């Protein structure tokens, strides 16, 4: 990852065991791995073609971050949900972060390494150092599986600096704690015309 001028890698994990004092049916571990890199387009003004730097940097980032998630969760087969994100420093464009996570050079590599098939849910923002970002997650092979809709948050106190980008990959080992709101595959058909008692919020 020397190509990306990698400054640091941060991995955060949590495991929820109780919800409202009740043990969760299946304890779930959520992990976010972040690479803090120099923004390859910083100081260059408007760059029309971001592709060369994306091709040079993004695949290595996907491999690095997937390895960190897999290690923290106990193997690729333990990754049930995934998500991705980018935080751009104040001297960069939102498009710089998007370029590094939304193209096949990151997304396809991350998906294949995690044995996923779903489109990868994401978030991105331009923020000063130390601001948190919430990363959404959903099932890696069945995006409509509502039980796996969840989020994790990451905050790095000294990143991104104005000329940096934080690239994030996240994963979870299971569903939300005590998920019980059904699934899109088994939901009843609901139409607006059927909801006679629908209240309008003004």
């Amino acid at each position: 990852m020397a190509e990306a001028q990698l400054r640091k890698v941060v991995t955060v994990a949590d495991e929820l065991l109780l919800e409202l004092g009740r043990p969760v049916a299946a304890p779930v571990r959520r992990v976010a791995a972040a690479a803090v890199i120099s923004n390859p387009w910083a100081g260059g003004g408007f760059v029309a073609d971001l592709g060369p730097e994306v091709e040079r940097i993004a695949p290595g980032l996907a491999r690095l971050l997937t390895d960190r998630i897999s290690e923290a969760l106990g193997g690729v087969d333990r990754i049930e949900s995934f998500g991705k994100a980018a935080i751009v420093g104040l001297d960069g464009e939102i498009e710089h972060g998007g370029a590094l996570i939304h193209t096949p050079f990151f997304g396809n590599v991350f998906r294949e390494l995690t044995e996923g098939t779903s489109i990868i849910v994401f978030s991105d923002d331009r923020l000063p150092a130390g601001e948190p970002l919430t990363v959404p997650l959903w099932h890696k092979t069945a995006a409509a599986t509502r039980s796996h809709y969840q989020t994790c948050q990451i905050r790095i106190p000294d990143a991104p600096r104005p000329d940096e980008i934080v690239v994030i990959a996240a994963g979870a080992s299971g569903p939300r704690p005590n998920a019980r709101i059904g699934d899109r595959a088994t939901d009843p058909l609901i139409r607006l015309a059927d909801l006679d008692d629908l209240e309008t919020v003004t």
Side-chain angles (χ1 to χ4, degrees):
M1 287 310 304
E3 300 90 344
Q5 297 185 41
L6 180 68
R7 181 165 72 84
K8 67 190 303 184
V9 180
V10 176
T11 304
V12 297
D14 67 26
E15 186 172 357
L16 190 62
L17 305 176
L18 293 173
E19 187 81 323
L20 292 178
R22 181 188 183 94
V24 300
V28 175
R29 188 170 176 82
R30 298 176 300 185
V31 176
V36 180
I37 66 169
S38 59
N39 184 336
W41 303 286
F46 179 83
V47 178
D49 184 4
L50 305 178
E53 295 296 333
V54 170
E55 186 173 352
R56 182 175 68 89
I57 295 171
L61 288 174
R63 289 183 178 277
L64 170 69
L65 298 176
T66 304
D67 285 347
R68 296 301 175 99
I69 296 170
S70 178
E71 181 181 359
L73 291 178
V76 169
D77 60 329
R78 294 280 296 152
I79 302 173
E80 292 190 12
S81 301
F82 57 18
K84 59 185 179 180
I87 310 173
V88 181
L90 296 182
D91 287 349
E93 293 183 66
I94 290 289
E95 189 71 356
H96 295 163
L100 290 177
I101 65 171
H102 292 321
T103 69
F105 292 102
F106 184 90
N108 286 10
V109 175
F110 180 35
R111 183 166 32 248
E112 185 171 340
L113 289 173
T114 55
E115 300 175 356
T117 56
S118 299
I119 293 173
I120 306 168
V121 67
F122 72 93
S123 62
D124 51 35
D125 208 342
R126 178 171 49 223
L127 298 167
E131 289 295 313
L133 185 70
T134 298
V135 185
L137 304 163
W138 63 24
H139 201 286
K140 69 179 184 180
T141 60
T145 304
R146 190 180 293 128
S147 60
H148 284 62
Y149 295 171
Q150 55 191 310
T151 61
C152 63
Q153 191 175 83
I154 187 165
R155 173 184 174 273
I156 304 175
D158 68 341
R161 294 172 180 169
D163 61 350
E164 290 182 331
I165 301 174
V166 180
V167 177
I168 303 157
S173 63
R176 288 189 316 279
N178 297 334
R180 56 192 186 280
I181 59 171
D183 190 86
R184 289 176 61 184
T186 57
D187 284 344
L189 176 63
I190 301 296
R191 297 174 300 181
L192 184 59
D194 297 330
L195 301 178
D196 295 332
D197 298 325
L198 182 68
E199 294 184 3
T200 301
V201 178
T202 59

